[in-house]
Amino acid sequence: MAAHTQIEVRTACDPTDPNGFEVLGASIPEARLAALIARDRFVDVVNQDGVRLQLSFDMDRATLVCGRSEPDAAPLVDRMTGAGITLARHPTFDITFAQQESGASRVAYDDLIGPNIAAVMARVGWRYDGSMLRMNALSATAARRVVASGWAGTIKSRDGARGINVSYGVAASHRGAGLSRLLAYCAVAECMDHQVLEGAPLPTFVNIQARTTNAASLAVARSLGIPACPEASFIVPEDGRRVAYVGFREPVEHFLARGLEHTRDRLPEYDPGSMAAARIGNIATLPGLALHSRR
């Protein structure tokens, strides 16, 4: 998912509240702005005075929330690799570390951004239903760059059960260091906390699905300790052949009980759920600001 160009907004500010911005207009149509916020959850903009702001919707998914863009918190440091671990500002599937890769290395990302992903999503047996969070691992260099990511998104299966689907990807240069496993545990912990903070129904299971030919992805799923689930497996037609996917599922409490011990060993300062709580708290809700106003 490509990043959109910088959006400019016209705002009015309450003199008694330096953070009290009211959005009066934008450089793109209102409907387009609403669609971007609905898709990305948080949209960075700049106002006529050069102040960097962030827009989102309140829990009613209609009231516009506007506040100053807060600087990202300093990442936690993975004791094993030195990588910085942080919650991404936007949970996109824009995988920058895959752009310079080719051949077999590039194919490793097909489960996330492959040309047949629409056909795969049609057969997974669930649909995304709520929050999506992305955890990033940043290179242990002065110019930090994303080298691995893990995603956790709330889903609803055909029988109505709510769960969390887990995805992951690691740059070829950083594979074999357990970053997928670490990011998966953190992503699920943050996703669960986000559900609590939103007052949403809690997911009951963790779900992973990967092609039988993707040995690296299957190895990660097994390292996470999630048992295989035949009911979560399926087959997708692709270029005249049948591609099989293996499913893994287990109760979310089992996944977290096992995973958080491993996570704290690598991230001693990690407080499960704290990143999601801080992100939600970064934006101050201002009454009456809405694309579909309640005033």
Side-chain angles (χ1 to χ4, degrees):
M1 186 181 297
H4 50 73
T5 58
Q6 180 68 68
I7 298 169
E8 297 180 1
V9 296
R10 184 166 53 90
T11 62
C13 185
D14 182 349
T16 65
D17 180 5
N19 293 311
F21 292 93
E22 179 181 2
V23 178
L24 305 176
S27 60
I28 62 174
E30 182 179 298
R32 174 61 177 156
L33 180 58
L36 284 173
I37 299 172
R39 185 192 74 181
D40 294 345
R41 294 184 56 224
F42 299 100
V43 173
D44 293 316
V45 300
V46 61
N47 76 355
Q48 70 273 9
D49 299 316
V51 178
R52 305 191 73 81
L53 303 168
Q54 193 173 76
L55 306 181
S56 64
F57 282 138
D58 201 354
M59 292 181 187
D60 62 6
R61 302 181 186 274
T63 302
L64 186 64
V65 177
C66 177
R68 292 179 183 268
S69 291
E70 298 288 341
D72 290 327
L76 300 178
V77 178
D78 174 22
R79 292 202 306 183
M80 181 176 293
T81 65
I85 307 300
T86 185
L87 177 65
R89 185 176 291 274
H90 305 301
T92 69
F93 279 94
D94 182 20
I95 308 177
T96 56
F97 51 80
Q99 293 174 358
Q100 304 303 317
E101 299 181 26
S102 60
S105 179
R106 177 74 181 191
V107 170
Y109 305 109
D110 278 358
D111 288 352
L112 288 168
I113 56 173
N116 203 39
I117 193 66
V120 174
M121 293 302 297
R123 293 175 178 260
V124 293
W126 47 262
R127 60 177 175 82
Y128 281 113
D129 184 49
S131 300
M132 169 75 78
L133 295 177
R134 174 177 179 168
M135 297 294 303
N136 286 333
L138 310 178
S139 59
T141 58
R144 287 190 179 269
R145 57 187 177 84
V146 177
V147 295
S149 297
W151 293 262
T154 52
I155 61 175
K156 181 176 288 188
S157 61
R158 292 194 180 104
D159 63 4
R162 287 176 58 82
I164 296 177
N165 186 63
V166 177
S167 305
Y168 37 78
V170 182
S173 58
H174 286 73
R175 291 174 190 163
L179 286 173
S180 287
R181 184 182 179 192
L182 177 62
L183 294 173
Y185 285 137
C186 291
V188 171
E190 299 305 314
C191 188
M192 284 292 290
D193 194 69
H194 195 276
Q195 295 299 289
V196 172
L197 292 171
E198 284 194 328
L202 292 183
T204 61
F205 67 91
V206 171
N207 179 84
I208 293 178
Q209 289 158 318
R211 286 168 296 146
T212 56
T213 55
N214 192 339
S217 184
L218 294 175
V220 172
R222 293 176 179 127
S223 75
L224 288 166
I226 307 176
C229 176
E231 292 78 12
S233 303
F234 56 93
I235 294 176
V236 178
E238 182 179 328
D239 297 330
R241 56 195 177 93
R242 292 159 60 85
V243 179
Y245 280 71
V246 179
F248 301 84
R249 280 188 188 176
E250 75 170 335
V252 67
E253 62 268 23
H254 296 175
F255 178 85
L256 288 176
R258 179 176 62 252
L260 291 179
E261 180 178 354
H262 169 80
T263 301
R264 289 194 181 99
D265 184 56
R266 293 184 62 157
L267 298 174
E269 298 179 2
Y270 178 55
D271 181 12
S274 60
M275 295 180 180
R279 176 58 48 80
I280 288 176
N282 275 346
I283 307 298
T285 302
L286 304 176
L289 299 187
L291 291 180
H292 305 286
S293 178
R294 294 184 300 195
R295 288 181 291 179

